[in-house]
Amino acid sequence: MNIQREGQRLVSPLILLVLLATAFPLLHEESPELTSFEILTGGILSIIYIWGAIKFLILGIKPPKALFYLLIFGLWAVLNVGLAVANGVELEWWFRRFFAAFSLPMIALVSFVEFRTFQRIRAMYVVLMLMGVIIVLVSLSELRFITINAITNLQYLRRYGGGYFSTFSLCLALPLLFHRPRFSSLQRLGLWLVVVISSLGLILSFTRTYWISTGVSLLFMVYLLGKDRRWHCTRLLWRIAIIGGLGMAVLTMLVPPYIRSFVVSRVTGIPAAFSGLSFQDRVYEAKGLFHTMLENPLTFGTGNGFGAKFTFYSVNPFSWGGVGWMSIDYSHNYYLYLLFTTGIIGLSLFLATWVKLFSSIRNFLIQTKNTAESGKFFLIGIATTVLNLLIASLTGPPLMSFTWALYFGLLVGLALNLRHLPEKASQSPSPEQVIGRTS
């Protein structure tokens, strides 16, 4: 194949498949049962992963350390099948749980191989941001059809905020508003629309975890922006406050009063959340997980395998449909989930990935301080979004879904290539040399 010619095109056949995969959440919602659509999705994703791995091997790439740790995590996930079988997990169910975890390193590899020019990176970034805001907009459009009598529980109401897509698209869009040099007026208008729509969706997600994770990640965004212009931090905070105010204003104008009052009650209930049934249920869940692992201390090192179950006593009637003993293979805390399934080995590799990624992004921002490098704002957007994911994973694990493994794997690859764009611009190396740089 002619790698150099292909690298000069904005879209390649493999990228077209990746774009198709990013649209899956628009076409279908994941379900507990295995559907024909999910089988088709798994097949397409498998083709993408194999294709990307072959290109990776042909080019003889030495991966950056963040990607290296993530690939080793993926290899450990493959070996995980032996542990799962030993614990009586059915292979079909193991594969469903395994595939989401395995998708993260594999799509990161594909992204690292394919999105090696700024044009491709920017295009993929915009696609992910627009995918998120479209899902939020579709969800919000259905809000006007519901009445208070139709609201049976919080889970029912959450669907109208777009779920995690609201905070995802918000964190990608917000840093670009501070882009220097400025975007065109039309582009900035588009970004403001994304921010306002995503903010409204975030508010109507009624999920305190997402509110807290977004607040912390936006403060982190300010910290990263301050690496470029420290004296702008106060101004940036004011702008964020104004954006939040706009979101609340839109909320006040568009949603019915009873939904508005429900939002207020959720916000004011944040300080008391640690004494609520939801938090207590997660505590009992963690205790049950550790108790199961203590029955065989070796599992702290190796894990029990994807799909393995643990038992705990649920005290929240809304979490699992009732109060009582539950046997599950799911944890609201993704880090405890990885500890239980892949052990300290898997969890350490997973965490090492993000440590290396954040440290490399921070070093890049320091090196390009006070320069007009456009890539830094996209990097800040990726870092903000990833931190949001890592915080949200403490109580609501998006990465247990292959959809979010796909989206965040793509962001990892984009970030790893963005760090070397100044070198590419100055030295103009061949695509093989560009992609072969290490962190």
Side-chain angles (χ1 to χ4, degrees):
M1 67 179 72
N2 192 330
I3 301 293
Q4 186 167 359
R5 181 180 300 173
E6 180 181 311
Q8 294 172 350
R9 298 199 302 265
L10 181 61
V11 178
S12 69
L14 182 53
I15 289 178
L16 288 176
L17 279 180
V18 171
L19 291 174
L20 175 63
T22 60
F24 289 153
L26 298 174
L27 305 174
H28 178 75
E29 291 186 5
E30 293 183 63
S31 62
E33 296 78 24
L34 187 63
T35 64
S36 57
F37 184 87
E38 289 181 343
I39 294 174
L40 175 63
T41 299
I44 294 175
L45 290 176
S46 297
I47 292 172
I48 292 173
Y49 302 158
I50 294 171
W51 195 340
I54 291 174
K55 293 189 71 171
F56 177 80
L57 294 173
I58 289 176
L59 292 173
I61 302 168
K62 184 179 180 182
K65 290 181 180 179
L67 181 58
F68 174 77
Y69 290 133
L70 199 54
L71 291 175
I72 298 300
F73 170 79
L75 177 61
W76 181 245
V78 173
L79 299 176
N80 182 274
V81 64
L83 299 170
V85 171
N87 281 288
V89 179
E90 295 182 4
L91 284 177
E92 178 183 321
W93 189 249
W94 168 82
F95 185 78
R96 293 199 71 186
R97 291 302 197 196
F98 152 81
F99 194 72
F102 185 67
S103 291
L104 179 63
M106 291 309 298
I107 200 64
L109 177 66
V110 173
S111 179
F112 179 62
V113 169
E114 284 298 293
F115 297 96
R116 55 187 182 266
T117 66
F118 184 68
Q119 290 74 21
R120 285 186 175 184
I121 292 171
R122 181 177 56 190
M124 190 70 249
Y125 190 102
V126 171
V127 166
L128 292 175
M129 182 173 62
L130 291 181
M131 285 291 181
V133 78
I134 288 172
I135 292 177
V136 173
L137 197 56
V138 170
S139 300
L140 291 175
S141 68
E142 299 174 356
L143 190 63
R144 67 182 186 276
F145 297 115
I146 68 169
T147 63
I148 191 169
N149 295 328
I151 302 173
T152 56
N153 54 53
L154 179 60
Q155 299 298 332
Y156 176 88
L157 199 55
R158 279 175 176 167
R159 60 183 293 210
Y160 295 102
Y164 192 69
F165 283 100
S166 57
T167 185
F168 176 77
S169 53
L170 175 63
C171 288
L172 287 178
L174 196 53
L176 299 186
L177 287 174
F178 308 105
H179 188 281
R180 297 291 186 276
R182 289 177 176 268
F183 288 119
S184 67
S185 299
L186 184 60
Q187 290 171 326
R188 290 181 65 80
L189 175 61
L191 286 172
W192 275 102
L193 287 175
V194 171
V195 168
V196 171
I197 293 171
S198 300
S199 299
L200 180 58
L202 176 61
I203 294 168
L204 295 181
S205 70
F206 303 105
T207 306
R208 289 176 293 201
T209 295
Y210 297 165
W211 295 346
I212 294 171
S213 66
T214 302
V216 175
S217 60
L218 293 187
L219 289 176
F220 181 65
M221 178 197 75
V222 173
Y223 164 76
L224 293 179
L225 288 168
K227 290 295 180 184
D228 184 48
R229 293 176 175 85
R230 296 181 183 276
W231 55 275
H232 274 235
C233 284
T234 302
R235 188 183 303 177
L236 297 178
L237 285 171
W238 274 110
R239 291 185 182 183
I240 292 171
I242 292 172
I243 292 169
L246 283 174
M248 291 300 294
V250 173
L251 172 67
T252 302
M253 291 186 293
L254 296 183
V255 303
Y258 55 85
I259 294 181
R260 196 160 59 240
S261 63
F262 187 61
V263 172
V264 174
S265 67
R266 291 288 288 175
V267 173
T268 56
I270 289 178
F274 293 105
S275 60
L277 285 177
S278 180
F279 179 78
Q280 294 300 320
D281 202 54
R282 282 155 173 74
V283 172
Y284 279 101
E285 183 183 291
K287 288 180 178 179
L289 183 147
F290 278 109
H291 178 75
T292 301
M293 297 188 75
L294 284 172
E295 294 176 356
N296 183 3
L298 289 176
T299 59
F300 279 97
T302 62
N304 292 273
F306 291 109
K309 294 185 177 181
F310 63 93
T311 302
F312 80 104
Y313 190 85
S314 174
V315 296
N316 187 354
F318 304 106
S319 289
W320 308 98
V323 175
W325 290 100
M326 304 289 170
S327 180
I328 59 172
D329 70 325
Y330 169 93
S331 172
H332 285 89
N333 187 312
Y334 190 67
Y335 305 102
L336 293 182
Y337 171 77
L338 286 182
L339 177 65
F340 182 75
T341 55
T342 65
I344 294 176
I345 296 175
L347 179 60
S348 298
L349 290 168
F350 179 80
L351 295 176
T353 297
W354 308 115
V355 170
K356 292 304 298 183
L357 182 66
F358 282 124
S359 64
S360 63
I361 290 175
R362 178 181 178 277
N363 292 337
F364 175 87
L365 294 176
I366 292 175
Q367 293 168 4
T368 58
K369 183 178 179 180
N370 294 324
T371 67
E373 174 54 49
S374 296
K376 69 174 69 174
F377 295 95
F378 291 91
L379 259 180
I380 292 172
I382 293 173
T384 303
T385 309
V386 168
L387 181 67
N388 194 312
L389 168 81
L390 296 177
I391 297 174
S393 294
L394 288 168
T395 59
L399 285 176
M400 288 192 73
S401 162
F402 79 84
T403 296
W404 290 113
L406 174 69
Y407 279 30
F408 280 95
L410 286 170
L411 290 179
V412 170
L414 300 186
L416 293 175
N417 282 326
L418 273 170
R419 295 174 307 117
H420 298 301
L421 285 177
E423 298 177 31
K424 297 176 186 179
S426 62
Q427 300 177 17
S428 301
S430 67
E432 293 89 338
Q433 293 173 320
V434 167
I435 202 167
R437 297 186 191 276
T438 60
S439 62

